[in-house]
Amino acid sequence: MHGRLPGIIDIHAHILPGVDDGARDMEESVRMLQEAAEQGITGVIATPHDSRRRVPSGYPALLAELQERIQDRCPGFTLWLGQETCYHEGLAERLKAGQAFTMAGSRYVLIEFDPGVSYHQLVRGLRQLTEKGYWPILAHIERYRCLKESGTGELRSMGCKLQMNYESLAGSWLSAEVRWCRRQVTQGAVDFLATDMHRLDHRPPRTQGAFSWLEGHVSGEDLLRLVRVHAVSVVRGKPF
């Protein structure tokens, strides 16, 4: 099934060179995207970490250069600009002022919290964003201990979308962590799968382990939603 899927869109990737703990230079960015393309990925939203110490004014130019470079090696590969924002009280105001980026210029915002955040704090932060008119996507949900205890139902009911990393689905069923992640997928709690790629030697794009499990446990229609359909809604700025 993996080989027959239409182009996968990755919504979480640290591929802009030299701006965070992701790709160190342009060549590493291009090589990571080539590896991603070999796994069926045809589009990526670049999501560098948000830093309150600087305004990301140079990111569009970096993205344009990277788009030109990857186009030479992987024709048709498409990049969009986004950001992985870390929740803080002034985030909505920074987004409105253009000091932090939404996803592909939409109302969607990729957001992370400290892994030890309390469930109350998590819900409160996400609700503040929705009340300001943003559509939050909670990054790598497998990292939040509070969700293992409280579940994801309330987040979904308030309009929050949930992203999981591909690699969290790979591994042995003997792992309680892997079992929890797979259960979220089969129960329909996950909206996006993404690589969260950083560097060639640290968290490179790896989807194969996840797909070896997904293809036996998720319908083709559900898989397509996880890896492409919902991502298309994000880049088009459409709710789902």
Side-chain angles (χ1 to χ4, degrees), residues 78-210:
T78 307
L79 300 177
W80 298 268
L81 184 60
Q83 203 160 26
E84 182 181 16
T85 61
C86 184
Y87 179 76
H88 59 278
E89 290 294 331
L91 178 57
E93 288 67 33
R94 293 186 70 246
L95 288 163
K96 184 177 180 181
Q99 296 172 344
F101 292 145
T102 62
M103 300 288 275
S106 70
R107 291 163 65 181
Y108 288 98
V109 179
L110 183 66
I111 183 166
E112 67 172 348
F113 291 75
D114 183 277
V117 66
S118 73
Y119 183 73
H120 171 75
Q121 291 171 317
L122 184 68
V123 170
R124 178 176 173 272
L126 293 169
R127 183 169 286 125
Q128 283 186 346
L129 281 177
T130 60
E131 289 173 350
K132 296 286 187 179
Y134 294 103
W135 301 335
I137 302 170
L138 182 59
H140 37 60
I141 63 168
E142 59 272 35
R143 295 188 186 175
Y144 305 108
R145 293 190 293 271
C146 64
L147 293 184
K148 309 286 174 56
E149 301 167 358
S150 301
T152 60
E154 185 175 3
L155 303 187
R156 297 181 60 78
S157 69
M158 58 190 270
C160 181
K161 306 303 181 183
L162 307 179
Q163 179 258 310
M164 181 176 285
N165 289 357
Y166 281 104
E167 283 209 295
S168 296
L169 294 171
S172 170
W173 67 272
L174 294 173
S175 163
E177 179 78 11
V178 171
R179 289 200 306 273
W180 185 88
C181 290
R182 291 175 175 179
R183 189 163 59 249
Q184 304 317 300
V185 169
T186 57
Q187 291 177 352
V190 178
D191 299 291
F192 306 93
L193 291 174
T195 66
D196 193 9
M197 66 177 100
H198 275 65
R199 297 180 173 184
L200 290 168
D201 58 357
H202 171 64
R203 216 179 299 164
R206 285 184 182 150
T207 64
Q208 300 96 323

Side-chain angles (χ1 to χ4, degrees), residues 54-66:
R54 67 176 179 216
V55 176
S57 57
Y59 291 2
L62 273 177
L63 188 82
E65 181 182 353
L66 182 55

